[in-house]
């Protein structure tokens, strides 16, 4: 089943711990994105990457970090500096020019206790 | 700043009626405007999109209109059905097309 895979689906962590969410795609897409979804606030962009070894901050990058060492992978680390990390995180990918369909993963729900 | 405003936040319609969701955007350079549908517990999926060189696009019961001068675009769903119940997001590309900015979403409920 080709597509974009996020793991884990559910994650519980204690305050102060860093957490890494995985995102892998086999669609040969150049661009990958991380969005955060909170009730009533839509999808807010955390980080995005148009090409391997390069990425840009989105609108709410504080407290998050990413890497893009391989075209297929774009992991997101939620650091202890993120003040309100409990949320639903969605990874997406598309071809280099962002005027085409974004393909989303199934999401990862992070709960910080 | 760069943003997309979406209204209404919730919309209830009777089965068979039409539903309209409206969005406005801030970046005059935006040229791509997709609409995504997210069913409960599932990932968002593209249902229709429009580019700035056209004013309207239809796909069966769904249509999108774009007014570039006013910087707003709308989703129209006709003959609504219970399976249309979901959260709908509009979006616009910004920063020379490098990122997609989403509206806050509209919860559509179709009552049978």
């Amino acid at each position: 089943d080709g597509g974009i895979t996020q793991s884990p689906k559910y994650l519980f962590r204690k305050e102060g711990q860093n957490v890494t969410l995985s995102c892998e795609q086999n669609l040969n897409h150049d661009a990958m994105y991380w969005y955060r979804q909170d009730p009533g606030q839509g999808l807010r962009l955390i980080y995005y990457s148009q090409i391997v070894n390069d990425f840009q901050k989105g609108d709410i990058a504080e407290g998050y970090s990413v890497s893009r060492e391989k075209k297929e992978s774009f992991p997101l680390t939620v650091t202890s500096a993120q003040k309100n990390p409990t949320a639903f995180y969605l990874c997406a990918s598309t071809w280099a020019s962002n005027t085409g369909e974004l393909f989303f993963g199934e999401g990862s729900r992070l709960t910080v206790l | 700043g760069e943003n997309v405003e979406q209204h209404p936040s919730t919309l209830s319609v009777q089965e068979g009626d039409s539903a309209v969701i409206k969005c406005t955007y801030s970046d005059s350079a935006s040229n791509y405007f997709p609409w995504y549908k997210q069913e409960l517990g599932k990932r968002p999926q593209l249902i229709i999109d429009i580019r700035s060189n056209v004013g309207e696009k239809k796909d069966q019961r769904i249509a999108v209109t774009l007014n570039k001068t006013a910087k707003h675009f709308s989703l129209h769903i006709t003959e609504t059905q219970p399976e249309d119940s979901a959260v709908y997001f509009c979006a616009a590309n910004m920063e020379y097309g490098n990122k997609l900015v989403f509206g806050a979403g509209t919860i559509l409920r179709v009552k049978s």
Side-chain angles (χ1 to χ4, degrees):
Chain A
D1 184 22
I4 181 165
T5 303
Q6 287 186 242
S7 63
K9 195 168 183 178
Y10 299 97
L11 188 58
F12 296 87
R13 279 294 181 267
K14 292 181 180 178
E15 246 183 76
Q17 290 182 329
N18 290 358
V19 168
T20 297
L21 307 179
S22 169
C23 179
E24 303 276 333
Q25 53 96 3
N26 61 5
L27 300 167
N28 200 32
H29 287 164
D30 292 297
M32 297 187 74
Y33 304 79
W34 274 104
Y35 287 90
R36 171 178 170 143
Q37 185 172 21
D38 297 285
Q41 295 196 54
L43 304 171
R44 293 184 291 165
L45 184 63
I46 305 172
Y47 267 98
Y48 61 105
S49 168
Q50 300 283 341
I51 196 170
V52 174
N53 291 324
D54 189 36
F55 47 82
Q56 287 77 40
K57 293 182 180 180
D59 302 314
I60 55 165
E62 186 177 349
Y64 299 97
S65 66
V66 293
S67 63
R68 187 85 188 277
E69 296 177 1
K70 298 186 299 181
K71 186 175 182 178
E72 305 80 26
S73 178
F74 191 41
L76 173 74
T77 297
V78 185
T79 75
S80 55
Q82 168 51 231
K83 293 178 183 177
N84 185 18
T86 294
F88 188 57
Y89 292 89
L90 282 162
C91 181
S93 67
T94 188
W95 289 275
S97 172
N98 193 6
T99 55
E101 181 176 359
L102 268 187
F103 290 81
F104 284 90
E106 291 191 339
S108 294
R109 186 167 297 280
L110 171 63
T111 303
V112 175
L113 306 171
Chain B
E2 303 167 333
N3 72 312
V4 175
E5 293 190 1
Q6 183 171 346
H7 300 280
S9 55
T10 60
L11 179 59
S12 289
V13 299
Q14 203 65 36
E15 182 177 0
D17 288 349
S18 295
V20 180
I21 303 170
K22 299 181 179 181
C23 290
T24 59
Y25 59 98
S26 58
D27 187 351
S28 56
S30 295
N31 62 1
Y32 176 64
F33 309 92
W35 286 88
Y36 284 81
K37 175 184 180 182
Q38 187 179 28
E39 296 177 2
L40 191 63
K42 296 191 176 179
R43 69 188 87 189
Q45 292 194 304
L46 179 72
I47 55 170
I48 194 168
D49 57 14
I50 191 168
R51 299 176 196 278
S52 58
N53 57 343
V54 296
E56 184 175 2
K57 184 177 179 181
K58 285 184 181 179
D59 183 3
Q60 298 181 335
R61 297 186 296 108
I62 294 172
V64 57
T65 58
L66 171 65
N67 182 328
K68 282 215 72 178
T69 303
K71 289 193 283 186
H72 67 71
F73 57 112
S74 300
L75 177 72
H76 305 254
I77 305 174
T78 58
E79 301 172 23
T80 53
Q81 300 167 4
E83 51 264 39
D84 293 330
S85 296
V87 181
Y88 291 81
F89 294 99
C90 63
N93 66 342
M94 298 190 182
E95 282 196 8
Y96 310 105
N98 285 329
K99 67 179 191 181
L100 209 56
V101 177
F102 285 82
T106 297
I107 300 171
L108 173 64
R109 296 191 184 94
V110 180
K111 297 175 286 187
S112 55

